[in-house]
Amino acid sequence: MPPWIRRVFPYAVLASGLAAVAWAAFFGTLPPADFTFSNGDEVQTVDPAKATGQPENRVLNGLFEGLLTNMPTTDQPDEQRLVPMEPQPAVAESLPEISEDGRVYTFKLRPSARWSENNGLGGRPVTADDFVWSWRRTLHPDTASKYAYQLSTYLENADKYNTGLVEEGDRVEVELADRPDPIQPFPRGTIVRGTLRRIVRPPAPAADPAETLEQRETQWRRRWTYVVEIKPVLPDAGQGGRVETHESPVDWAAEGNLRAFSQDPEQAEQPGAEFGSLGAIQPCVHVLLDFGQVGVRAEDERTLIVTLRNRTPYFNSLAAFYTLFPVHRECVEKYGTPRWTKPENIVSNGPFQLQFRRIRDRIRMVKNPHYWNADQVALNVIDVLAVKSHTTGLSMYLEGQLDWASNVPKLMIPELLPRDDFITAPALITYFYRVNVTRPPLDNVLVRRALNLAIDKRQICERVTKAGERPASSLVPPGMAGYEAALCGQFDIAEARRLLAEAGYPGGRGLPKVEILYNTDDNHRAIAEVIGQMWKEHLGIDVELKNVEWGNYLDRQRELDYSVSRAGWIGDYPDPNTFLDMFVTGGGQNQTGWSHPGYDALIAQAAAEPDPEQRMRQLHEAERILMDELPILPIYYYVSINMVKPYVRGFSANILDTHPLHILRLDGNAASASLPAEAASPSEPASPAEPPSSFVPAVPAETDTP
């Protein structure tokens, strides 16, 4: 370690220690938790349909549980120090039965799976209907889930429901404009169901420079008129038989009544004379594909049938992912979003319950006595600390205030590598920069290629990150069985300068200043500084670094309010598709403005391809287009970095960097880490009247290492 680091780091640790003392003085004292860990940035939400971040992932996997859950298959690491993880039964009592064509999955739910209790809600069994309703909520357009594609890409007809696109002849559900709370999508208004007979579209609006194409399309669609043959509800619906959660069953074979609907009846056009007199056009909120056409249904309370569009070999991994977790319908509909996620309201089905949250401090989770496997959960109280500074986190770990530090300062890694409690291993994570291709001159592919070639990625790995990361020339990291990544160009200053000159900016002259956006983090800043220096030195480009808080960072990426933005992606499952399907046109995680029809087609073809080798070739061709166009600049492939106390059992390195909290145990020599905070009993939730119990969800976070 360089001498200057040895001189500076103690002062940083001292400052962190003083900050901890000030923190303690401000927040009072709290009985220590059994287990305490640092979780990076503030968790933005604990709503499985809204979350997409790694900090959220750790908390959600404690509070909720899906059909399956990722678990280690052995306690013995391989030659790369990795322990294999595979989806194992969770709410489902066994792995699913899969049809011969690989499209139909039948899950049997365990009768002992139950919801937690809170304010008179919950306590009942988790049913197949809970999954149907929760997946429907995630797919509903008004939920605006950035991760809805984890369902819409795979479930039969789910994409049509999610996008709100319907065609004449479709079975549809019409939501009338009578929601109990107009700003809450759930509970929904009155639902009538029938067959769509006609869509009457007024002339498309003229282009308006003040509006985007999407805004014009949205306003135009609001004036469409839908003529629907509304079918009668079955006379015995709800009496002596099971009623589906997607509204009362109707008699699809019976003759119905024609009615006209529009989101903006005053501006809508009347249907043609061939439909006779339909009366006034009725206001509606949505006309969506009837959810009964989507590939998920509850055969009975304990049997869930999932029908996929195509064979999907990694669907079990998706079933273990938090976007597919169930939520408690009565809780969501009673309190609305986001209030249902407040500690005093939330009902969950995981091994832990949310006791309280204090902004800029911690989330406290306590053991859920209703959890089906509660007898095997060793930890009673877990504190999840919002510690942004890796230096502060390391200081707290060394001082015994943390049992697990989920990251450390890069400068200290050479010093920490020899320690037994420093755990590092390859991970399915890529660090990259997004490029806003809608903003000149970054709309020029030659400029983007020049920027990529001017980055010495090996130098970043060897001199900045220092934990064994590898320079990246592809988005998909190594280690995917049967897949060969497509590569972008490697460090080449002469070629970078030639491309920039060909783009019209010789020596960087005339090129506007490039801003690099990153969220608050010492490591992101260090990397941005080095890349900015490389672009200035090699290309003559002036670079401005823009550091913003996590929520603001996410907002700006989503709104394309940036030039270049740091990013990272953790594989949701071990398949190239988890990286590549992000960048389809309009994808919720695309956030670059980039679109390529050939790329979209290859991703769609791969999704439908039954031959594994051909599918991998199609994904390779898609990545080749991505690496040629470069709406992203790969920087390096991560390794996971964790510091874990020797007395913690059940913690192991794995390629997904996923660590189930409910299997962790402390041996007899454990000294519980604690940090003072709000006074409260570890067995009782904080009072709803107290500010510390407030949960203030913000925008969804991306699946990233913030």
Side-chain angles (χ1 to χ4, degrees), residues 520-533:
T520 304
D521 180 283
D522 297 341
N523 298 332
H524 299 331
R525 184 186 68 246
I527 293 168
E529 287 174 348
V530 169
I531 289 177
Q533 291 168 1

Side-chain angles (χ1 to χ4, degrees), residues 188-249:
R188 301 201 299 164
T190 301
I191 302 295
V192 294
R193 305 163 72 197
T195 303
L196 180 62
R197 296 305 183 195
R198 181 67 55 85
I199 302 176
V200 181
R201 300 175 177 87
D208 183 348
E211 292 183 328
T212 65
L213 179 62
E214 182 179 0
Q215 289 171 331
R216 290 199 304 275
E217 175 78 14
T218 299
Q219 291 304 314
W220 181 44
R221 288 178 61 176
R222 285 185 56 80
R223 295 188 286 117
W224 291 8
T225 301
Y226 299 85
V227 179
V228 182
E229 181 186 351
I230 300 299
K231 300 293 185 177
V233 176
L234 290 172
D236 61 345
Q239 300 178 9
R242 199 185 143 272
V243 178
E244 295 175 316
T245 57
H246 50 270
E247 320 311 334
S248 299

Side-chain angles (χ1 to χ4, degrees), residues 48 56 72 129 135 165 173 210 240 283 298 300 362 395 417 423 436 483 497 520 568 578 589 600 616 618 653 694:
E56 289 77 12
D129 282 336
W135 292 8
L165 297 177
E173 55 184 47
D300 55 48
R362 74 190 63 209
S395 175
L417 277 170
I423 302 173
N436 182 356
Y483 181 74
R497 289 173 175 169
T520 304
T578 188
Q589 302 292 351
D600 297 346
M616 289 300 183
Q618 290 164 340
S694 299

Side-chain angles (χ1 to χ4, degrees), residues 357-628:
R357 175 185 183 176
R358 183 148 200 157
I359 301 298
R360 295 184 299 278
D361 178 21
R362 74 190 63 209
I363 286 173
R364 171 156 284 196
M365 300 189 295
V366 295
K367 184 175 176 178
N368 176 10
H370 298 277
Y371 180 57
W372 66 270
N373 202 24
D375 290 346
Q376 298 301 312
V377 178
L379 300 176
N380 290 306
V381 183
I382 295 177
D383 276 352
V384 185
L385 302 191
V387 182
K388 295 181 182 179
S389 168
H390 301 326
T391 302
T392 300
L394 177 59
S395 175
M396 293 171 66
Y397 177 84
L398 296 175
E399 293 171 7
Q401 295 174 333
L402 296 176
D403 301 297
W404 168 26
S406 59
N407 217 323
V408 300
K410 297 297 185 184
L411 292 175
M412 289 302 299
I413 287 176
E415 192 86 353
L416 298 171
L417 277 170
R419 293 177 57 120
D420 291 338
D421 58 349
F422 183 77
I423 302 173
T424 180
L428 201 64
I429 315 173
T430 302
Y431 191 100
F432 60 93
Y433 274 8
R434 281 188 170 93
V435 182
N436 182 356
V437 304
T438 70
R439 180 175 291 185
L442 300 174
D443 57 342
N444 189 328
V445 68
L446 298 178
V447 174
R448 301 197 297 271
R449 290 172 184 166
L451 293 177
N452 175 65
L453 294 176
I455 302 173
D456 187 343
K457 300 169 186 178
R458 184 169 302 281
Q459 180 179 336
I460 291 172
C461 293
E462 293 176 353
R463 299 187 182 182
V464 181
T465 60
K466 301 182 181 180
E469 294 87 350
R470 288 173 289 174
S473 296
S474 63
L475 174 62
V476 179
M480 300 285 193
Y483 181 74
E484 180 184 353
L487 307 180
C488 62
Q490 300 189 33
F491 182 53
D492 188 333
I493 298 174
E495 179 64 8
R497 289 173 175 169
R498 188 193 70 77
L499 289 170
L500 197 63
E502 184 180 344
Y505 306 101
R509 292 187 295 276
L511 192 78
K513 182 181 293 184
V514 173
E515 179 187 271
I516 299 177
L517 177 73
Y518 65 94
N519 58 291
T520 304
D521 180 283
D522 297 341
N523 298 332
H524 299 331
R525 184 186 68 246
I527 293 168
E529 287 174 348
V530 169
I531 289 177
Q533 291 168 1
M534 291 176 179
W535 286 347
K536 177 63 176 176
E537 177 182 348
H538 302 325
L539 300 177
I541 297 174
D542 291 325
V543 176
E544 178 181 353
L545 306 186
K546 187 66 175 180
N547 168 34
V548 296
E549 293 299 314
W550 181 241
N552 188 6
Y553 157 81
L554 295 170
D555 286 340
R556 290 188 59 174
Q557 275 200 140
R558 185 177 61 252
E559 297 164 5
L560 294 182
D561 182 19
Y562 73 92
S563 296
V564 175
S565 176
R566 85 95 208 158
W569 193 256
I570 302 170
D572 301 326
Y573 45 88
D575 188 273
N577 188 74
T578 188
F579 290 89
L580 297 174
D581 69 354
M582 284 194 293
F583 294 99
V584 297
T585 300
Q589 302 292 351
N590 184 315
Q591 299 180 348
T592 64
W594 181 73
S595 174
H596 193 289
Y599 184 88
D600 297 346
L602 284 164
I603 296 297
Q605 290 167 18
E609 178 56 56
D611 179 74
E613 292 184 2
Q614 176 63 13
R615 177 176 173 272
M616 289 300 183
R617 285 192 290 269
Q618 290 164 340
L619 291 174
H620 171 87
E621 283 303 304
E623 188 175 26
R624 185 188 59 76
I625 293 172
L626 190 70
M627 292 297 94
D628 184 60

